Amino acid sequence: MHIVLDDTAMAAAGQGNVLASRLIHRAHSQAGWYLYAPTCALVEADRARPGTAEHLAALPGITVLDLDLPAALAVAGRDTWAAAHCQYAAQPTPDRPDGAIIATTAPDRWTGEPVRVLDLTP
């Protein structure tokens, strides 16, 4: 299971969201569960809730995704870099042929986008 945390899911995890906490626990303790934190979304989450980036980056079950050249080119033309980096990270790759699911507490943000969404709203 490959899951990309958007900025709202990251901020929710820092505020004790039970569903986000369960994802983090599974990624740390169960084989086959992977959580990704795109850098641009991590920055936005930290702006909304200072300390979030440092906290999430220290968790062993989360992989922080760099803004490499292909990702930068994908987000450059978008209005919000956080959402664009999440959407880019969720696209299929050789390692993830089915892509990844975006975990969020704002599912309406993803309406009309070509991504699968996991609603973390309690």
Side-chain angles (χ1 to χ4, degrees):
M1 179 71 60
H2 296 274
I3 299 174
V4 174
L5 299 172
D6 78 357
D7 55 307
T8 67
M10 292 180 203
Q15 294 172 328
N17 179 294
V18 174
L19 299 173
S21 295
R22 285 181 187 163
L23 286 177
I24 292 167
H25 175 72
R26 282 194 177 177
H28 175 66
S29 64
Q30 293 183 0
W33 281 78
Y34 303 94
L35 283 184
Y36 304 98
T39 303
C40 293
L42 195 59
V43 169
E44 285 303 313
D46 200 71
R47 286 180 179 166
R49 188 170 191 283
T52 299
E54 187 174 357
H55 173 72
L56 287 175
L59 295 173
I62 296 180
T63 301
V64 176
L65 300 177
D66 294 331
L67 185 64
D68 58 9
L69 180 58
L73 294 174
V75 304
R78 304 291 300 268
D79 292 335
T80 61
W81 284 24
H85 199 187
C86 289
Q87 184 173 344
Y88 172 79
Q91 298 307 306
T93 66
D95 294 338
R96 298 183 310 268
D98 293 328
I101 299 167
I102 296 179
T104 184
T105 61
D108 293 341
R109 165 193 287 184
W110 299 102
T111 301
E113 297 293 340
V115 296
R116 295 176 291 156
V117 173
L118 175 62
D119 187 355
L120 298 183
T121 305

